[in-house]
Amino acid sequence: MKLKKNIATSENGFIFNPATGDSFSGNAMASEILLAMKNGDTEAQIKQQLLQKYEVSATQLNRDWEDWIVQLKEANLLEAAIYDSK
Amino acid sequence: MQKLVYERPYIKKLTAGVMNKFGSRSGGKPFEYIDNVPVKSLIASYGSPLFVLSEKQIRRNYRAAYRAFSTRYPKVQFAWSYKTNYLNAVCSIFHQEASWAEVVSGFEYRKALGNGVPGNKIIFNGPGKTADELLLAIENDSLIHIDHLEELNQLIILAEGKANKPRVGIRVNMDTGIYPIWDRFGFNYESGDAWAAILKVINSGRLQLAGLHCHIGTYVQVTGAYGIAAAKMASLALRCKAELQHSIAYLDMGGGFPSTNTLKGSYLPGTDTIPTIDDFAEEITGTLTKAGFANDELPLLILESGRILIDDAGYLLGTVIANKRLSEGKRATIVDFGVNVLFTSFWYEHQISPAQEFAPNMENMVVYGPLCMNIDVIRESINLPLLNPGDNVVVHKVGAYNMTQWMQFITLRPAVVLIDEQQQVHLIKAKETLDYIERDEHVPGHLK
Amino acid sequence: MTANNYSGLCIGVTGLNANDNPGPGVAVIRALKEGLGTGLRIIGLSYESLEPGIYMRDMVDKTYSIPYPTEGTAALFERLTYINDKEQLNFIIPNFDAELHNFIKLAPQLQQIGIRTFLPSIEQLMIRDKVNLYDFGQKNGFHVPADHKLYAAGDVQKATEELGFPLVVKGKFYEAYIAHNKEAAIKAFNQLATTWGYPVIAQQYIKGTEINIAALGDGDGNNISIVPMRKLYITDKGKAWAGVTIEDAALIALADQFAKATKWRGGYELEIMRDADDKLFILEINPRFPAWIYLTAAAGQNQPLALVKMAFGEKLTRFEEYQAGKLFIRHSWDQVVDIADFQRISALGEL
């Protein structure tokens, strides 16, 4: 899973997709994950960081991760055809 | 290291539309208590889903409505509309408050007798009374409101030889400027049918014409319609006096007053647009007092309100089963109560509140019930915070009709509890059981 | 009192949607700025993040999103309280029909937190509602096109028998179509009923000249200002894109008759059709300033300014003069802003 190139994120949690012209706002957690994804961190790395830092179970995080990927896909923010979470 | 509070990652596309968080009807604070009783403890004790009624609110509603009419008119009587909610505990509250019973079937009639209502304080309405039921009502000296000519003819026959003439009223329908006209019930005013029915009752010599009854519609949101209705009812009564030298003892203006629920398709929320009971009372009593009755001949004013007295005293508690995203990306939340127990979700946009603290982000979503049926939609579009499976929700203003029109379908109907004025919780109807549902079933021997 | 006494006011204005079906907000602000000069602070109140007025930084000092009218008075009051805490609003001018109900209901509460309004009553609002307009005309001696309320497609037949063709078919709140045959009328009925609910209104079509009157009632049965405007160019949405002030005693008399009949309080617009016999039909009454309200200022009767003065208790004498022959021609203009502005108003509700 990889973010599209050129996705612009701002400090306020705004996301702009220059390819489509769409804007998004996200909560703090979304901003943090997007930043990690932009840095090229893997899913496993990101999840591990979150589990260490936040009060959340692995089960809950995995469930939310699936929903997160669906949101990114829906928002057209992911590179095409890489929806396998390896 | 102290771990930080986690929140589900969430992005939202920015559109030209307003952000939901600027004042959403369902936003604001969690709804954690009903009359100081924790929602969570109610669910822990009685299961989910669960109907909860507030005795304090019921009594407050009744007293406010009665005061609205009785401070404006000398003779006022309320009759509790059984079909709105005929749980015996509920009826008993209204009867304690001096309400009569207004019933529309033999079943409801017997419930009223069972609740200790004297026969002469039961009003028997409806188009479907059987001969046996009419006889029972005659024996009990109840007020029988005649819906159609068949019934009138039957009553004349049943009344033959009775020492005490049965007390009857004529149900009148009329054009009050609202749509639709409920001309399927009773006799029409404008066509003269109502007057003809009055003549027939008087001329029969066997029936006592005690009153006139109307019920102009349901969820009527314009007070003026009641003024028109009151004027037409008064003119019939005055004509009885003038032409037949017969005094009409009471005018029953029925019910139909709206609660503050928001009807589907209405632009502004019901809480801002629905007239108050004082507005309706002003219109009705103002019309009657100016209609031309002699001061000592003002008829008794009867009201058969249901919904307005109980809707906001009822809550439905439930639990989130699951979340999912629909094909278009819209969020859907599945809860454990369906349209079979929340019948009013077909015409109201019910307010739903989370029953616990929630994250600030709101999302537009559809709320589905658990029935395996496409029609099982509680809200087609509502802004709610992200709810997790196991979270509880409270549906507001569900006290009217749901506990009588509910259907048993693929699951068992939930329990109903009453919170009394001392904040004690009473189970007033237990959750259904499989045994109860199957008690009267019979499997023929060859299938066993 | 002079304009200077009003300097430093902070005024909230809605209706910033200066698009092809424009709200009056930007025109109201322009008139206020002209009347009150520098020192005036304008707070835009927006519903959607692409309302052009939000981005006109020379007109609007700051904009806040407010909840849609459907969210009700409680949500609106909460938001206005928040805005007021930051901005100390002195006055609000709502400019949308659909929001008026809420603002009127909230007026006493707003007054308590120091925000004045100058609005009609709920009763005045209802009396001119499309659904009640014909009865209002009958009762008060105004010419109003005959109408027929439609609740089912079957009612169209009866309406066309009474009213003939062409037939104006109007939604309960917004939108109207002119139907030239029964099929078109039924189609319009279905569409409008689905969008706006019942009843749909079938109205007699009146042929003639379209004239609008912008006026300001004092709430005691008098008008402080009346400016009639003849539409010169009408868009396909029926909006005036150009118009000229005209002088006609009959139009002034009509507005005065209206103010007397209703004791109207605040701005309003009469939409008039003058037929071939010079009869003046009231087609619609808008309970607020029209989008072309700046023309009243340009012609010598600054109605938004007068509204502010009345709200602050100043006794105004009625304007008697305005310039006939003042022409407005609307134009469109592409503003260019950064996406960050859009993101901020969209997500944070403030810009």
Side-chain angles (χ1 to χ4, degrees):
Chain A
M1 128 253 59
K2 217 171 117 191
L3 273 188
K4 276 188 178 164
K5 276 181 285 185
N6 304 334
I7 300 291
T9 52
S10 80
E11 300 149 26
N12 295 337
F14 295 131
I15 304 143
F16 179 62
N17 182 346
T20 61
D22 288 331
S23 286
F24 302 86
S25 72
N27 56 6
M29 196 64 63
S31 299
E32 184 166 342
I33 298 176
L34 279 171
L35 197 68
M37 289 174 80
K38 279 181 77 173
N39 283 340
D41 295 2
T42 65
E43 174 183 337
Q45 286 171 321
I46 298 173
K47 282 183 177 172
Q48 201 189 353
Q49 288 159 18
L50 294 176
L51 283 170
Q52 277 173 3
K53 191 167 166 193
Y54 292 97
E55 190 62 60
V56 60
S57 71
T59 326
Q60 167 94 39
L61 185 61
N62 284 326
R63 196 169 63 200
D64 291 348
W65 187 267
E66 284 175 32
D67 185 59
W68 170 246
I69 297 300
V70 173
Q71 291 184 60
L72 293 180
K73 242 171 66 117
E74 178 64 32
N76 205 7
L77 294 173
L78 291 183
E79 289 286 6
I82 35 175
Y83 179 48
D84 72 306
S85 49
K86 294 292 147 204
Chain B
M1 187 181 79
Q2 177 87 33
K3 287 192 177 181
L4 302 173
V5 178
Y6 168 84
E7 193 184 306
R8 172 171 18 189
Y10 166 75
I11 58 168
K12 182 185 162 61
K13 187 169 170 176
L14 299 177
T15 63
V18 75
M19 272 294 280
N20 305 321
K21 67 178 167 190
F22 304 112
S24 165
R25 214 177 301 166
S26 309
K29 301 174 202 75
F31 194 86
E32 296 173 286
Y33 299 90
I34 300 172
D35 289 358
N36 295 322
V37 180
V39 167
K40 297 273 179 192
S41 77
L42 288 167
I43 289 179
S45 305
Y46 300 96
S48 173
L50 174 72
F51 277 106
V52 180
L53 289 160
S54 160
E55 181 175 348
K56 192 167 113 191
Q57 189 62 33
I58 294 174
R59 290 190 190 272
R60 187 187 292 156
N61 288 345
Y62 177 88
R63 288 168 194 174
Y66 186 77
R67 194 183 315 117
F69 282 92
S70 61
T71 52
R72 294 176 166 90
Y73 193 84
K75 290 186 284 181
V76 177
Q77 178 62 51
F78 276 44
W80 173 239
S81 158
Y82 263 48
K83 64 179 177 295
T84 309
N85 190 322
Y86 45 57
L87 291 171
N88 288 336
V90 168
C91 297
S92 300
I93 297 172
F94 285 105
H95 298 322
Q96 261 188 11
E97 293 283 341
S99 224
W100 294 359
E102 184 262 326
V103 304
V104 293
S105 68
F107 163 82
E108 287 190 349
Y109 189 94
R110 288 182 189 93
K111 270 184 95 70
L113 289 179
N115 284 327
V117 182
N120 64 357
K121 292 183 175 174
I122 301 177
I123 296 171
F124 199 0
N125 285 329
K129 313 174 194 90
T130 66
D132 285 349
E133 290 162 0
L134 287 171
L135 269 177
L136 180 65
I138 292 171
E139 295 306 325
N140 284 309
D141 192 28
S142 299
L143 296 166
I144 302 169
H145 288 170
I146 303 170
D147 184 75
H148 45 76
L149 270 180
E150 305 295 340
E151 186 172 81
L152 175 48
N153 290 331
Q154 191 170 31
L155 276 169
I156 292 172
I157 294 164
L158 292 173
E160 186 179 0
K162 297 282 177 199
N164 296 319
K165 288 184 188 175
R167 293 191 298 154
V168 302
I170 294 292
R171 167 86 184 248
V172 182
N173 69 61
M174 61 189 80
D175 181 1
T176 58
I178 57 166
Y179 183 87
I181 298 175
W182 273 17
D183 55 1
R184 57 174 290 185
F185 302 112
F187 301 85
N188 186 250
Y189 172 85
E190 287 82 10
S191 69
D193 287 354
W195 181 248
I198 289 170
L199 284 179
K200 185 155 183 168
V201 168
I202 300 282
N203 292 338
S204 74
R206 293 181 190 168
L207 302 173
Q208 185 187 339
L209 182 63
L212 300 173
H213 171 225
C214 71
H215 192 123
I216 60 173
T218 189
Y219 224 81
V220 177
Q221 295 174 64
V222 283
T223 55
Y226 282 93
I228 296 171
K232 289 182 175 178
M233 294 282 277
S235 82
L236 275 180
L238 290 165
R239 189 172 172 195
C240 280
K241 179 71 179 171
E243 295 184 22
L244 308 172
Q245 289 74 52
H246 178 85
S247 290
I248 295 292
Y250 68 86
L251 295 179
D252 181 342
M253 293 301 296
F257 306 127
S259 66
T260 52
N261 260 306
T262 302
L263 281 185
K264 282 191 174 178
S266 48
Y267 188 70
L268 297 170
T271 40
D272 286 333
T273 53
I274 303 285
T276 66
I277 190 69
D278 283 280
D279 299 331
F280 288 107
E282 183 69 33
E283 186 75 30
I284 291 172
T285 60
T287 307
L288 291 182
T289 47
K290 287 191 284 267
F293 291 104
N295 258 348
D296 55 342
E297 290 216 346
L298 271 176
L300 172 70
L301 171 59
I302 297 179
L303 295 142
E304 300 170 349
S305 287
R307 187 193 313 272
I308 197 172
L309 300 183
I310 197 162
D311 218 10
D312 67 355
Y315 303 84
L316 176 57
L317 316 186
T319 304
V320 173
I321 296 173
N323 290 308
K324 56 166 64 175
R325 284 203 184 270
L326 304 177
S327 59
E328 300 283 318
K330 183 165 176 163
R331 180 172 281 274
T333 290
I334 305 167
V335 294
D336 65 351
F337 52 87
V339 291
N340 60 323
V341 297
L342 193 65
F343 220 76
T344 47
S345 55
F346 284 120
W347 50 88
Y348 293 149
E349 289 183 352
H350 275 297
Q351 186 196 341
I352 303 176
S353 305
Q356 54 282 307
E357 288 293 338
F358 49 82
N361 285 316
M362 293 277 176
E363 191 167 350
N364 189 266
M365 61 182 76
V366 50
V367 179
Y368 292 127
L371 309 182
C372 208
M373 304 270 287
N374 199 40
I375 57 163
D376 191 23
V377 183
I378 302 296
R379 284 292 304 268
E380 280 153 24
S381 170
I382 182 173
N383 295 327
L384 282 174
L386 302 173
L387 297 166
N388 290 307
D391 280 356
N392 295 123
V393 295
V394 179
V395 188
H396 301 260
K397 298 177 190 168
V398 302
Y401 292 102
N402 286 306
M403 281 154 262
T404 49
Q405 292 187 329
W406 54 2
M407 260 191 284
Q408 190 270 315
F409 176 70
I410 74 166
T411 56
L412 299 162
R413 283 176 288 194
V416 183
V417 298
L418 177 78
I419 302 175
D420 72 19
E421 293 181 290
Q422 281 70 47
Q423 299 164 15
Q424 298 300 306
V425 182
H426 305 267
L427 182 67
I428 60 170
K429 188 175 193 320
K431 184 172 161 45
E432 275 176 343
T433 61
L434 183 59
D435 284 347
Y436 167 79
I437 299 296
E438 291 185 342
R439 200 182 61 199
D440 298 319
E441 281 193 45
H442 303 284
V443 179
H446 71 283
L447 295 177
K448 283 185 182 169
Chain C
M1 232 188 260
T2 64
N4 289 341
N5 295 58
Y6 297 99
S7 69
L9 284 183
C10 182
I11 300 181
V13 179
T14 71
L16 305 179
N17 54 326
N19 52 33
D20 63 337
N21 182 6
V26 172
V28 167
I29 295 167
R30 187 177 173 195
L32 291 177
K33 289 215 168 235
E34 194 170 291
L36 296 172
T38 50
L40 171 68
R41 184 167 166 82
I42 294 290
I43 300 303
L45 303 171
S46 71
Y47 290 102
E48 306 207 330
S49 44
L50 285 180
E51 292 176 22
I54 299 169
Y55 304 93
M56 297 182 180
R57 309 311 288 265
D58 53 338
M59 301 296 272
V60 179
D61 293 287
K62 175 144 191 191
T63 299
Y64 293 84
S65 301
I66 55 172
Y68 279 123
T70 50
E71 302 292 342
T73 52
L76 178 61
F77 187 67
E78 193 185 320
R79 182 66 175 158
L80 291 176
T81 304
Y82 167 85
I83 297 168
N84 193 49
D85 286 345
K86 298 198 152 184
E87 304 290 348
Q88 281 85 50
L89 290 161
N90 303 111
F91 188 54
I92 291 182
I93 306 181
N95 287 306
F96 280 123
D97 297 14
E99 70 187 359
L100 276 176
H101 185 277
N102 288 347
F103 275 99
I104 294 169
K105 283 230 154 177
L106 282 182
Q109 278 169 272
L110 291 175
Q111 178 87 42
Q112 278 186 357
I113 59 170
I115 306 174
R116 291 167 195 253
T117 53
F118 199 84
L119 298 169
S121 65
I122 295 283
E123 290 69 32
Q124 288 169 336
L125 190 68
M126 291 312 294
I127 206 174
R128 45 130 303 268
D129 192 275
K130 271 180 221 181
V131 177
N132 303 323
L133 185 63
Y134 183 74
D135 290 342
F136 168 73
Q138 289 290 308
K139 230 175 259 172
N140 295 285
F142 294 102
H143 297 298
V144 173
D147 69 14
H148 198 101
K149 318 278 185 293
L150 310 174
Y151 292 95
D155 296 343
V156 172
Q157 175 67 30
K158 213 172 155 208
T160 57
E161 280 166 19
E162 278 174 29
L163 307 173
F165 289 110
L167 184 70
V168 186
V169 188
K170 290 183 164 182
K172 190 176 168 191
F173 295 111
Y174 298 105
E175 273 186 81
Y177 295 97
I178 293 171
H180 292 274
N181 54 51
K182 198 176 149 194
E183 288 66 40
I186 289 175
K187 191 175 157 218
F189 165 79
N190 287 328
Q191 196 170 329
L192 292 170
T194 313
T195 316
W196 302 112
Y198 299 97
V200 172
I201 299 135
Q203 195 181 54
Q204 178 193 4
Y205 179 82
I206 308 283
K207 202 166 173 295
T209 311
E210 277 192 62
I211 296 163
N212 290 349
I213 303 172
L216 183 59
D218 68 357
D220 296 321
N222 312 300
N223 284 310
I224 293 301
S225 164
I226 307 168
V227 178
M229 178 274 289
R230 152 102 193 265
K231 290 187 189 179
L232 291 180
Y233 182 89
I234 300 170
T235 68
D236 56 2
K237 289 195 173 167
K239 305 294 156 191
W241 207 251
V244 61
T245 51
I246 55 173
E247 203 179 310
D248 180 344
L251 294 169
I252 306 291
L254 183 75
D256 280 336
Q257 192 191 343
F258 174 79
K260 203 173 156 200
T262 58
K263 292 194 162 53
W264 193 269
R265 189 165 185 272
Y268 65 95
E269 180 190 32
L270 301 176
E271 292 187 20
I272 306 294
M273 190 71 86
R274 181 171 18 215
D275 75 359
D277 304 325
D278 264 353
K279 247 198 263 175
L280 299 173
F281 283 87
I282 301 180
L283 304 184
E284 222 159 273
I285 300 164
N286 297 315
R288 38 128 188 111
F289 287 137
W292 57 275
I293 193 67
Y294 179 72
L295 187 66
T296 65
Q301 302 193 1
N302 190 330
Q303 290 188 3
L305 176 65
L307 181 83
V308 172
K309 291 181 175 176
M310 285 159 77
F312 283 86
E314 191 172 335
K315 284 277 166 235
L316 297 183
T317 49
R318 176 181 166 112
F319 286 100
E320 293 297 348
E321 296 292 321
Y322 62 88
Q323 264 182 287
K326 275 281 176 195
L327 182 70
F328 82 89
I329 309 109
R330 211 163 261 168
H331 74 129
S332 52
W333 172 261
D334 297 352
Q335 293 194 87
V336 177
V337 300
D338 196 84
I339 188 77
D341 282 357
F342 168 75
Q343 289 175 332
R344 278 177 57 207
I345 186 72
S346 299
L348 307 178
E350 295 181 24
L351 183 67

